[in-house]
Amino acid sequence: MEATAVDPFVFRLAIFVLAIFVGYFVVWSVTPALHTPLMSVTNAISSVIIVGALIAAGPGGLELSKIFGLIAIGLAAVNIFGGFAVTQRMLGMYKKKERE
Amino acid sequence: MTANLAALAYVSASVLFIMALRGLSSPETARMGNVYGIAGMVIAILTTLATPGVVSYAEILAALVIGGAIGTVIAQRIEMASMPQLVAAFHSLVGLAAVLVAAAAFYNPAAYGIADAAGALKFVSRIEMSLGTVIGAITFSGSIVAFAKLQGLVSGNPVVFPGQHLLNLFLGLVIVGMGVLFTMDAVPMWFWAMAVLAFLIGFLIIIPIGGADMPVVISMLNSYSGWAAAGIGFTLENTALIVTGALVGSSGAILSYIMCKAMNRSFFSVILGGFGGDAGPAAGPAAGEKPVKAGAAEDAAFIMRNAGKVIIVPGYGMAVAQAQHALRELGDLLKTEGVEVSYAVHPVAGRMPGHMNVLLAEASVPYDEVFELDAINSEFSTTDVAFVIGANDVTNPAARDDPGSPIYGMPILDVDKARTVLFVKRSLSPGYAGVDNALFYRDNTMMLFADAKKMCDDIVKALG
């Protein structure tokens, strides 16, 4: 085999695989009582897809890709703000027993 | 900002997201976890805004403010009983955003640095883009169907027709074909054909799934939204997106697994659908012919007041009746009478994972009085009263004792082992599985025929 540089794609694939394992172990440690907040917060963080939308909406002018980008920013923003806010609201409800 | 610095910033955002999930291991650390998640998001957004190509700040800010305002208002107003719908709706937005970002990258690959020498999309990026687009589109339309079913806009009953699975299989193969064509020749026609067909199949794969299987569907769509984000992350060569997509994808997959296991269903049998409408068959086998003992609120109040230990078993019916506040009041009154009260929650008690826990938390039930199936099941044999409200199949002893039963093997709460079972239900109709519950006809069971909320109110009155 020739000594060539590793394709950056392979690096990203490695990160992806490791992140799946991290996700696997972290999520199994989530208490079942918090599974609904888990879903709402994963929903909020998956909206980090907004970074792709920001780049599309970034250039000046008004091309098709920019319009797609701006709509995607709006949609992702609903999710980010809504997702984190509703998670915070839910978590605020979980109270321990008051002990005298 | 240099590319290296930006890459490091994206990694730190990823780490913060992992910490956000880690925080959810206990209610005490969860709120801090959410703050980590927000911090990660702020870092990711600011890093992208500092990218050299991004200059149109006014339009971006406008889109952010509009979307953010809508999201915040919805989050403040939503009822906890409607959380499953909200989450389904949010998933659809992630899916649609993924498709739009893919389209944007397709029309302007140079902005992302993924153009080849001729200015068209790179070969590898085409494969990744196909995956991200298709999964995103399926997430979008599938979540819309799930939303409509949960919100009651369409019937929760499975929609089945002959040749359904063959049609889906055929469509799936056509989509793969479109993906191949797009990869060979990246023209708009193949891109949009692929996206439209994926939208279509998203509708088709969710319509045969009944309302009662929604906990699995929502978890599955949660997972899809993650894989879509990861696919887009590969296309855009962005580590924050890849890592987050992987986290969300595996989280949703684990939740789907937990939900399937709690119903003793295989993932495939859920996906193939046709099971578990909201209403269930109209007439239960011979229901009403066997003698049942029915009681009134006063009887229930008397029995529970004189009990030493009561376990409350809430189910989806309680959520529908919005009885959680009245139920908590009932529990509190019993506690002042010196009765030991705890709550038992089955994993599929609500319409999404953990739904019942949120509803009880909303009604100010302390979370350390609420127990999961494994933690509390051994307690029923030493319990005086099991108060079942709005649950049915998850308490059916047939699932444990009768190998011929369609729900045999599903883990249940052993309420039948309690000295007395009080069963709040509107009628003797079977649950979603269409299976009669032998518990109704036992000597130590007293049926309380009423709406869940009304019954709780009446018992509270009788106790007070």
Side-chain angles (χ1 to χ4, degrees):
Chain A
M1 208 170 153
E2 276 181 73
T4 47
V6 174
D7 190 318
F9 170 77
V10 177
F11 274 120
R12 284 190 283 274
L13 193 65
I15 292 172
F16 179 65
V17 171
L18 291 176
I20 290 177
F21 275 87
V22 172
Y24 180 85
F25 289 109
V26 170
V27 170
W28 273 116
S29 76
V30 171
T31 166
L34 293 177
H35 275 163
T36 297
L38 171 69
M39 294 197 92
S40 62
V41 84
T42 51
N43 194 71
I45 65 172
S46 62
S47 303
V48 72
I49 199 155
I50 198 171
V51 300
L54 289 169
I55 292 172
L62 199 65
E63 288 175 54
L64 194 54
S65 62
K66 178 164 174 175
I67 297 170
F68 288 144
L70 285 173
I71 301 173
I73 292 176
L75 297 177
V78 173
N79 249 342
I80 294 172
F81 283 80
F84 282 124
V86 86
T87 307
Q88 197 71 16
R89 200 176 134 211
M90 274 191 276
L91 294 175
M93 292 171 179
Y94 283 81
K95 303 235 160 58
K96 242 190 149 99
K97 205 176 337 194
E98 287 163 33
R99 297 181 201 281
E100 307 77 62
Chain B
M1 190 180 277
T2 68
N4 283 337
L5 202 56
L8 288 175
Y10 286 134
V11 169
S12 61
S14 308
V15 171
L16 286 164
F17 290 153
I18 293 169
M19 286 165 72
L21 300 190
R22 183 78 187 95
L24 290 167
S25 56
S26 101
E28 281 108 75
T29 55
R31 262 159 281 185
M32 198 59 214
N34 203 39
V35 174
Y36 289 135
I38 295 170
M41 189 60 74
V42 170
I43 290 175
I45 291 176
L46 289 181
T47 306
T48 315
L49 286 175
T51 309
V54 179
V55 290
S56 59
Y57 290 113
E59 294 100 308
I60 289 175
L61 191 67
L64 271 177
V65 168
I66 296 170
I70 296 173
T72 310
V73 170
I74 295 173
Q76 300 308 328
R77 299 219 175 137
I78 190 79
E79 299 239 10
M80 286 302 129
S82 306
M83 272 315 289
Q85 291 94 302
L86 180 73
V87 169
F90 278 173
H91 287 155
S92 77
L93 297 183
V94 178
L96 188 55
V99 174
L100 288 170
V101 171
F106 172 62
Y107 282 99
N108 189 9
Y112 297 91
I114 52 171
D116 61 15
L121 190 61
K122 275 198 301 193
F123 187 74
V124 181
S125 306
R126 293 176 194 177
I127 303 172
E128 299 155 352
M129 184 179 280
S130 309
L131 285 171
T133 308
V134 169
I135 304 172
I138 292 175
T139 311
F140 171 65
S141 51
S143 300
I144 287 188
V145 178
F147 172 80
K149 287 196 178 209
L150 288 160
Q151 183 71 26
L153 299 178
V154 299
S155 154
N157 292 329
V159 179
V160 286
F161 53 86
Q164 190 165 27
H165 301 313
L166 275 176
L167 174 68
N168 289 349
L169 182 67
F170 173 71
L171 266 179
L173 291 173
V174 173
I175 291 172
V176 173
M178 294 293 164
V180 173
L181 287 171
F182 174 75
T183 310
M184 316 265 275
D185 183 18
V187 292
M189 184 175 68
W190 299 134
F191 179 83
W192 291 112
M194 188 168 69
V196 168
L197 286 176
F199 280 130
L200 186 62
I201 205 172
F203 280 107
L204 289 173
I205 55 177
I206 307 298
I207 52 168
I209 306 179
D213 278 341
M214 279 302 144
V216 181
V217 172
I218 297 193
S219 313
M220 186 181 84
L221 291 166
N222 184 235
S223 183
Y224 286 4
S225 70
W227 303 129
I232 301 297
F234 274 105
T235 317
L236 308 185
E237 310 186 341
N238 183 304
T239 40
L241 254 176
I242 294 174
V243 171
T244 312
L247 292 175
V248 177
S250 49
S251 166
I254 291 172
L255 291 175
S256 311
Y257 169 79
I258 294 175
M259 292 298 109
C260 282
K261 205 160 156 264
M263 295 194 286
N264 191 38
R265 309 270 319 273
S266 78
F267 189 66
F268 279 102
S269 83
V270 173
I271 296 303
L272 291 177
F275 183 87
D278 270 334
E289 285 171 25
K290 285 174 266 180
V292 296
K293 211 157 67 181
E298 292 72 28
D299 307 318
F302 179 79
I303 294 171
M304 288 200 280
R305 169 184 282 151
N306 292 300
K309 188 166 155 189
V310 173
I311 297 181
I312 298 174
V313 181
Y316 185 62
M318 183 215 72
V320 173
Q322 286 283 302
Q324 63 268 35
H325 297 279
L327 182 65
R328 196 259 309 151
E329 209 178 325
L330 191 165
D332 283 353
L333 277 174
L334 287 176
K335 277 189 265 176
T336 58
E337 304 256 351
V339 182
E340 191 188 330
V341 178
S342 42
Y343 297 78
V345 171
H346 192 277
V348 290
R351 275 293 187 264
M352 69 185 292
H355 192 194
M356 202 50 63
N357 301 79
V358 173
L359 290 166
L360 292 175
E362 183 195 18
S364 310
V365 173
Y367 63 81
D368 41 2
E369 285 177 10
V370 182
F371 297 92
E372 305 300 322
L373 181 96
D374 295 335
I376 201 162
N377 237 357
S378 57
E379 301 271 315
F380 282 105
S381 52
T382 58
T383 296
D384 299 302
V385 180
F387 184 72
V388 183
I389 176 163
N392 184 0
D393 289 332
V394 297
T395 64
N396 194 339
R400 187 188 56 216
D401 305 330
D402 175 11
S405 171
I407 57 170
Y408 181 69
M410 171 171 138
I412 57 158
L413 288 158
D414 295 327
V415 295
D416 57 322
K417 293 191 174 151
R419 194 164 305 149
T420 306
V421 181
L422 296 175
F423 219 110
V424 183
K425 212 169 173 312
R426 267 180 298 197
S427 68
L428 282 176
S429 65
Y432 72 80
V435 186
D436 199 20
N437 194 338
L439 210 51
F440 301 162
Y441 314 105
R442 288 166 96 111
D443 284 340
N444 63 345
T445 302
M446 181 188 276
M447 300 300 293
L448 304 165
F449 292 113
D451 170 76
K453 179 162 189 322
K454 184 165 182 314
M455 181 51 72
C456 286
D457 286 336
D458 289 350
I459 296 176
V460 165
K461 247 178 254 156
L463 282 170

